[in-house]
Amino acid sequence: MNNRRFYIETYGCQMNFADSEVVNSILMNDGMTPVQRAEDADVIFVNTCSIRENAETRVWNRLKEFRSLKKDNKELTVGVLGCMAERVRDQIIDREKLVDLVVGPDAYRDIPNLLSEVDDGRKAVNVLLSLEETYADISPVRTSGNGVTAFVSILRGCDNMCAFCVVPFTRGRERSRPIDSILREIDELNHQGYKEITLLGQNVNSYKHESIDFTQLMDEASSQNPEIRFRFSSPHPKDFPIQLLHLIAERPNLCSYIHIPAQAGSDSMLERMRRPYTREEYLSLTELMKETIPGVSLSTDIIAGFCDETEEEHQETMSLMKTVEYDLAYMFAYSERERTLAHRKYEDNIPEEVKKRRLSEIIKQQMSIQEKNNLKELGNRHLVLVEGTSKRSDDQLSGRSDTNKVVVFDRKDFQKGDYVEVEVTGSTSATLIAKSIKKSSITDFYSESVLV
Ligand code: SAH
Ligand code: SF4
Ligand code: F3S
């Protein structure tokens, strides 16, 4: 036991944010106290991401800042957690001499022991990946966040080996968490007043524990908690369960929003990327989503400038995005990562300026699609879950629709955590502007909209 103060700074995907909450819990059980500023901490942890070069560069720069804090406070301990811990452990400890402890994503239970090793004057490292660890019995402690929306990890690791992606090497093999522990965590969140839960995994639809699959899990979770909204991220197009689409269509608290990463729009590129679906299969899936769930909102991830990408392939990606008309897209320039298939077998041969140009064409087109989609929302009614005050004005609240669109409207007497029925009065490419109609609930809103 010890009474040190710790601070965690988190980079990367939602899973990393969820992991930081697991680490909070482990450290607090050991007697440590979380603080909100690095300057106030005895131990600083950086939970890191390796997905692209610039994600790592940000962390290196931040670690250098922490090294200067160490000059003022000789007792300060700095630890690196997460994906970079797996990827660049030797460099972090030996070459840069920046940190005292390095802990990979499956070794967080060991942090208290590792901290004692540091106390004894040693550098401490545990980057062992596990076939079983899911942290199922640990109740994550959510020290930051809005108190309304929460992430729950249901599956760790990834077995997909997309040619560009480092995740299988930093997070190890895929493993699912037992349903009982997931439902228990959701129940705790319900009692704490949370209203929206996103179930997380790198390939969330391959969830399988004993005889329970992803659709059954979503069914159980949403029927047990009718006033909590459920989302999930990220599914893989290759094995998306069609049954789930029907469940989403029927069940008011399963959100009509699906993030379904395409990565590219041509068969040749998808094959090079080792994404096991064709353009046509992907498009029939998104078509089916739209048919089965009226008003569904779709989003995607896209990579520009992957190895050998031709102008034609780039155009096919553009045309796929135009066909689907996504409401949101995360768009990236390809960044080569060591150990991946692309690094071993292909050449990162698209010049930086071509990658940038293609990416900016993709982004430009996407912004205009979003603007157009949002214009069509004028007059629509949505049930918005209020997440907090709008960034632009204290007099306005901000939340998201069932379809995951950011909506702002006048504060009036509404509060964080309320479900509010609104009518859209204006829009930009990123936000809907609305007027409130009344406070509501999932049950009321959807039973009324069925009657209309
Ligand atoms: N498991 C998720 C993706 C996790 S990584 C999924 O499969 O949907 C998030 C996104 O980062 C990926 O979808 C991909 O678009 C992007 N990405 C991954 N590796 C990348 C790389 N080397 N360069 C650029 N973008 C990459
Ligand atoms: Fe990476 Fe592909 Fe796994 Fe997603 S599915 S984490 S892109 S290897
Ligand atoms: Fe980054 Fe690791 Fe997530 S590489 S995107 S933090 S799984």
Side-chain angles (χ1 to χ4, degrees):
M1 290 289 264
N2 66 71
N3 54 6
R4 281 183 282 198
R5 291 164 301 176
F6 69 96
Y7 166 76
I8 310 183
E9 192 163 292
T10 310
Y11 294 83
C13 62
Q14 295 161 339
M15 304 236 17
N16 248 19
F17 283 80
D19 279 2
S20 290
E21 294 165 352
V22 167
V23 175
N24 275 336
S25 174
I26 292 169
L27 296 178
M28 288 164 77
N29 274 332
D30 198 48
M32 292 174 69
T33 309
V35 293
Q36 297 301 324
R37 291 174 356 137
E39 292 77 6
D40 301 331
D42 306 307
V43 189
I44 297 174
F45 293 102
V46 191
N47 195 357
T48 60
C49 174
S50 290
I51 200 83
R52 285 167 290 274
E53 187 66 42
N54 56 12
E56 292 197 350
T57 310
R58 278 174 71 202
V59 170
W60 285 119
N61 292 337
R62 194 65 177 134
L63 287 174
K64 287 186 184 127
E65 287 173 29
F66 291 147
R67 179 156 62 182
S68 62
L69 276 183
K70 259 183 131 162
K71 288 206 183 97
D72 303 331
N73 175 7
K74 293 273 180 293
E75 300 292 299
L76 181 67
T77 301
V78 178
V80 167
L81 312 177
C83 291
M84 274 174 83
E86 288 302 322
R87 222 186 70 72
V88 286
R89 54 198 172 221
D90 302 332
Q91 197 178 344
I92 296 171
I93 293 263
D94 301 334
R95 205 182 78 197
E96 303 282 341
K97 301 207 186 322
L98 283 178
V99 306
D100 311 290
L101 113 149
V102 176
V103 193
D106 288 344
Y108 295 147
R109 288 179 201 267
D110 200 26
I111 297 179
N113 297 327
L114 295 166
L115 279 172
S116 345
E117 284 185 33
V118 174
D119 292 341
D120 295 342
R122 280 171 286 163
K123 298 280 178 192
V125 180
N126 185 346
V127 291
L128 287 178
L129 288 172
S130 154
L131 294 176
E132 287 101 33
E133 180 64 272
T134 58
Y135 300 111
D137 57 315
I138 294 180
S139 294
V141 178
R142 295 168 170 87
T143 49
S144 52
N146 55 20
V148 177
T149 61
F151 298 124
V152 171
S153 283
I154 65 163
L155 173 145
R156 299 182 71 82
C158 183
D159 287 347
N160 277 327
M161 297 285 176
C162 302
F164 49 81
C165 183
V166 77
V167 170
F169 304 96
T170 63
R171 295 247 161 198
R173 300 305 298 265
E174 190 173 286
R175 66 220 98 116
S176 296
R177 172 178 169 185
I179 184 167
D180 293 351
S181 82
I182 298 170
L183 295 176
R184 191 179 348 107
E185 188 176 338
I186 292 172
D187 192 50
E188 281 167 21
L189 289 166
N190 191 0
H191 282 103
Q192 289 163 20
Y194 283 87
K195 297 283 172 56
E196 179 183 300
I197 292 174
T198 305
L199 301 182
L200 292 182
Q202 289 298 351
N203 186 10
V204 75
N205 48 328
S206 62
Y207 176 87
K208 181 100 196 161
H209 194 268
E210 288 163 1
S211 61
I212 308 288
D213 66 16
F214 185 57
T215 306
Q216 287 166 305
L217 172 64
M218 292 298 283
D219 189 1
E220 281 285 322
S222 60
S223 60
Q224 287 184 16
N225 301 275
E227 282 298 319
I228 290 191
R229 256 180 188 181
F230 289 89
R231 303 184 189 277
F232 54 93
S233 192
S234 294
H236 195 298
K238 78 171 152 67
D239 51 5
F240 195 95
I242 304 306
Q243 244 346 81
L244 180 59
L245 297 181
H246 296 283
L247 193 67
I248 294 174
E250 286 160 20
R251 190 72 49 86
N253 61 334
L254 290 183
C255 289
S256 300
Y257 165 69
I258 305 175
H259 180 63
I260 187 78
Q263 312 297 358
S266 61
D267 290 349
S268 50
M269 181 53 97
L270 289 168
E271 199 179 324
R272 279 211 293 299
M273 287 179 160
R274 296 291 191 277
R275 299 283 292 185
Y277 48 88
T278 61
R279 175 189 174 97
E280 201 187 315
E281 284 164 350
Y282 182 88
L283 286 175
S284 11
L285 177 64
T286 51
E287 206 38 56
L288 187 65
M289 288 172 170
K290 290 180 182 183
E291 273 167 28
T292 315
I293 311 166
V296 70
S297 174
L298 302 179
S299 64
T300 192
D301 291 346
I302 296 288
I303 299 178
F306 185 61
C307 311
D308 297 325
E309 186 182 63
T310 62
E311 204 53 39
E312 217 175 1
E313 287 172 330
H314 165 59
Q315 288 306 331
E316 285 197 72
T317 295
M318 297 273 286
S319 93
L320 178 108
M321 295 179 77
K322 212 166 161 178
T323 308
V324 182
E325 297 185 308
Y326 298 104
D327 283 312
L328 187 67
Y330 301 90
M331 300 157 282
F332 312 102
Y334 173 59
S335 165
E336 184 178 59
R337 311 314 288 139
E338 274 172 27
R339 296 177 72 191
T340 58
L341 180 81
H343 177 254
R344 285 178 281 127
K345 294 263 170 67
Y346 312 149
E347 208 184 322
D348 179 15
N349 54 3
I350 305 302
E352 217 43 52
E353 65 276 13
V354 177
K355 284 185 189 170
K356 286 218 179 91
R357 193 254 303 152
R358 289 179 184 165
L359 178 62
S360 65
E361 287 173 13
I362 287 172
I363 294 175
K364 193 167 160 223
Q365 175 183 273
Q366 179 57 26
M367 287 307 114
S368 90
I369 292 171
Q370 284 178 208
E371 210 169 303
K372 222 174 68 203
N373 287 355
N374 283 352
L375 274 174
K376 289 189 212 144
E377 293 268 7
L378 213 68
N380 285 356
R381 295 256 170 133
H382 282 291
L383 184 69
V384 173
L385 174 60
V386 179
E387 292 177 18
T389 301
S390 152
K391 271 179 247 151
R392 267 169 284 172
S393 154
D394 280 350
D395 299 331
Q396 292 206 305
L397 293 172
S398 167
R400 273 172 304 141
S401 65
D402 178 321
T403 52
N404 203 39
K405 293 198 177 178
V406 175
V407 184
V408 288
F409 56 94
D410 286 343
R411 175 183 291 276
K412 296 190 183 155
D413 289 331
F414 303 116
Q415 286 174 16
K416 193 164 91 166
D418 285 347
Y419 282 112
V420 181
E421 180 176 345
V422 305
E423 185 178 311
V424 178
T425 56
S427 68
T428 68
S429 65
T431 312
L432 300 179
I433 296 135
K435 65 169 191 242
S436 56
I437 308 290
K438 61 174 190 240
K439 194 170 155 173
S440 187
S441 68
I442 295 184
T443 321
D444 288 348
F445 181 78
Y446 290 97
S447 54
E448 281 168 25
S449 59
V450 169
L451 293 177
V452 174

